[in-house]
Each structure stands twice: as structure tokens, then as C-alpha cells.
């Protein structure tokens, strides 16, 4: 039963979430004792979105993904909905406890955007933009209590990455044409170029964001190159998985570039762990 719920919320993909908060906190100058709790809040909201996604897609998944927990009968739709609602409440509540009113002003719109994506926007042209907004807000959640405007570049870069992953994910069942992975690869190159420039580091410390950005580009970029050569559904799905599991390296580069090389390296270390765990529980 525990594995079924882990599959419902795509538990390993949660490793791609805390780095949003760390990157935002580092950029805003408030990386500290409350950051882990805000990161926990963002993970809970992410898992809530995954459960709500499966609940909303239960009819479609019965045809396209019959092995998923709801259509396979391992988890009832009402149970999945209860998990999504419960995790949402827990995530918002933890954000309020950790960051007070300022964190709540970001956590509530974030929760709303998550549910809006799952229930309305996902299968519309606005889908990738709404999902990108969710990740951007997640970065700003970490920045609450500090100089939030200084975290806007990091939020935009994480949002841009998320847009490429979401655009690819819309074709992970049907397959894509060659142009889509080429376009997302161009976006990844632009994100890498903007991320790899250290803004507050000098000397050897300046190498940390550059190295982490390169690691991100190598992992996600290579998967997109393969998808451009063979845009079939399995290859596109692997590119989506690479986009999710490579995100910690991007977040780590952003944190390191903002003056937190050690926390940035720690965030990036989640990437190989996420890759290993997604071999057991799918991230897409």
C-alpha cells in the first residue's frame, strides 16, 4: 500500500522540489533555519499536485496508463482526492508556521496554481505556462522574508526550465515531431547560459555554478538531443524524466551563483539519487 501511494504522488520527483526554495532563499539573502521547513512545504504541495493530477486524469489514464494506481484499482479515486486535499492543507499550514504571513501570501497562490493546472489548464495551450508559474512561485516561497525581487531571475529561470519539461510531457504518450525537442533544447541552452554566470562569487567559488550548470545541461540536453533524433513516445518520456531529475543541478547552480556554493552543491547532490529512485517509481 505504501508503494502504491508513493507511485500516486511520484515520490522520487519530490527530490526536485526543495532546491527551488533553497535557490530563492539564497538569492534573497534569507537562507537559514526556516528554509528546510519551507522546502518541506513545497514538497507537500508538489505531492498534492501529483495526487490531484491522477485523480483528474483517472478516466484518461484508464486508456493511456492503465497501470497507474487509480485505474489499476490499487487506490480508489476518493482516496486519491483525500490525499491531494490533505497534502495541500499540510503544505500551506507548514508554510504559515515556518514563514508566517509573508510565506502564506505565496503558498496560497502556489496551491491555487497547482490545482488550476490539474483541473483546468493542463490540457490547454496555457498548460506549460501555468506549470512554469507553479515552479516560479515555489522559488519565491523560499525568498519570502528577504529581498524577494532579487529572487525573480532565479524564479524565471526555473520557470523557463519547467516550461520546456511540461511542453515535452504533453507528448510523452503520443510522441512528438522533431521540432519540439529542438525548441526545448534551445530553451535549455539559454537557461544554462544565464545560470552559469556567477553574480556574487569570485575565484574558485565562481567555478561551482558554472560546473553545476554544465552538469544540468549535459544531463537534460543529451536527453533532448536523443528525443530530437527519435521523437517517439518512449524517448520523449525519457527526456521528460531527465528534465525532472536534472533540476537539482540547475537549482544548485542558482544557489551557488547567489553566494551559497555549499548549499548549492548539496542541492545538486540530489540529482543522482533522484535518477536512481525513479528507476523504481516513475517520475512522469
Amino acid at each position: 500500500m505504501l508503494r502504491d501511494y508513493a507511485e500516486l504522488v511520484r515520490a522520487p520527483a519530490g527530490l526536485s522540489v526543495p532546491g527551488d526554495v533553497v535557490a530563492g532563499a539564497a538569492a534573497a539573502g534569507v537562507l537559514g533555519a526556516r528554509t528546510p521547513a519551507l522546502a518541506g512545504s513545497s514538497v507537500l504541495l508538489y505531492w498534492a499536485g501529483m495526487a490531484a493530477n491522477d485523480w483528474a486524469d483517472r478516466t484518461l489514464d484508464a486508456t493511456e496508463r492503465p497501470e497507474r494506481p487509480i485505474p489499476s484499482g490499487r487506490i480508489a479515486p476518493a482516496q486519491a482526492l483525500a490525499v491531494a486535499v490533505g497534502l495541500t492543507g499540510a503544505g500551506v499550514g507548514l508554510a504559515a508556521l515556518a514563514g508566517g504571513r509573508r510565506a502564506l501570501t505565496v503558498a496560497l497562490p502556489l496551491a491555487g496554481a497547482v490545482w488550476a493546472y490539474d483541473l483546468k489548464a493542463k490540457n490547454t495551450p496555457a498548460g506549460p505556462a501555468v506549470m512554469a508559474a507553479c515552479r516560479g512561485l515555489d522559488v519565491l516561497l523560499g525568498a519570502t522574508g528577504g529581498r524577494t525581487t532579487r529572487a525573480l531571475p532565479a524564479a524565471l529561470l526555473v520557470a523557463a526550465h519547467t516550461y520546456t519539461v511540461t511542453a515535452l510531457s504533453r507528448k510523452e504518450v503520443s510522441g512528438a515531431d522533431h521540432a519540439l525537442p529542438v525548441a526545448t533544447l534551445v530553451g535549455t541552452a539559454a537557461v544554462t547560459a544565464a545560470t552559469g554566470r556567477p553574480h556574487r562569487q569570485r575565484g574558485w567559488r565562481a567555478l561551482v555554478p558554472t560546473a553545476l550548470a554544465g552538469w544540468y545541461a549535459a544531463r537534460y540536453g543529451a536527453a533532448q538531443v536523443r528525443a530530437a533524433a527519435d521523437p517517439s513516445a518512449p524517448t520523449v518520456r525519457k527526456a521528460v524524466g531527465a528534465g525532472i531529475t536534472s533540476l537539482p543541478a540547475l537549482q544548485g547552480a542558482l544557489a551557488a551563483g547567489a553566494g551559497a556554493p555549499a548549499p548549492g552543491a548539496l542541492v545538486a547532490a540530489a540529482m543522482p539519487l533522484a535518477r536512481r529512485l525513479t528507476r523504481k517509481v516513475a517520475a512522469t
Side-chain angles (χ1 to χ4, degrees), residues 16-281:
S16 73
V17 180
D20 288 342
V21 171
V22 174
V30 289
L31 188 61
R34 70 176 194 152
T35 304
L38 289 175
S41 168
S42 71
V43 171
L44 292 174
L45 292 174
Y46 183 87
W47 283 343
M50 291 294 129
N53 175 80
D54 271 28
W55 178 79
D57 279 359
R58 61 193 184 279
T59 301
L60 179 64
D61 282 349
T63 300
E64 294 186 347
R65 301 178 181 88
E67 74 282 357
R68 292 293 300 161
I70 295 177
S72 66
R74 288 176 287 144
I75 294 179
Q79 291 173 314
L81 181 59
V83 168
V85 172
L87 288 173
T88 300
V92 171
L94 183 56
L97 286 173
R101 185 180 301 174
R102 290 186 178 182
L104 197 58
T105 60
V106 179
L108 285 173
L110 172 57
V114 168
W115 280 87
Y117 175 81
D118 286 331
L119 299 181
K120 292 292 184 182
K122 179 170 51 181
N123 296 318
T124 73
V130 175
M131 179 57 75
C134 290
R135 282 288 190 170
L137 286 169
D138 206 28
V139 174
L140 295 179
L141 178 62
T144 54
R147 299 179 180 178
T148 306
T149 55
R150 293 177 62 174
L152 287 175
L156 289 173
L157 288 170
V158 171
H161 164 81
T162 304
Y163 191 100
T164 68
V165 177
T166 309
L168 285 171
S169 72
R170 292 157 73 92
K171 299 295 182 180
E172 66 178 5
V173 173
S174 62
D177 57 37
H178 294 276
L180 177 59
V182 170
T184 61
L185 182 59
V186 171
T188 299
V191 168
T192 303
T195 302
R197 297 180 300 160
H199 300 292
R200 304 184 200 172
Q201 297 291 323
R202 296 293 183 270
W204 68 268
R205 293 174 180 269
L207 298 177
V208 178
T210 302
L212 294 180
W215 192 18
Y216 154 76
R219 166 68 177 153
Y220 186 31
Q224 290 172 93
V225 168
R226 289 190 290 270
D230 171 25
S232 63
T235 310
V236 171
R237 192 154 48 245
K238 289 179 180 178
V240 174
I244 295 171
T245 58
S246 67
L247 183 52
L250 173 62
Q251 297 158 336
L254 290 168
L266 184 61
V267 165
M271 188 168 86
L273 177 60
R275 290 179 61 188
R276 178 173 297 183
L277 290 176
T278 53
R279 295 170 186 165
K280 297 182 179 182
V281 179

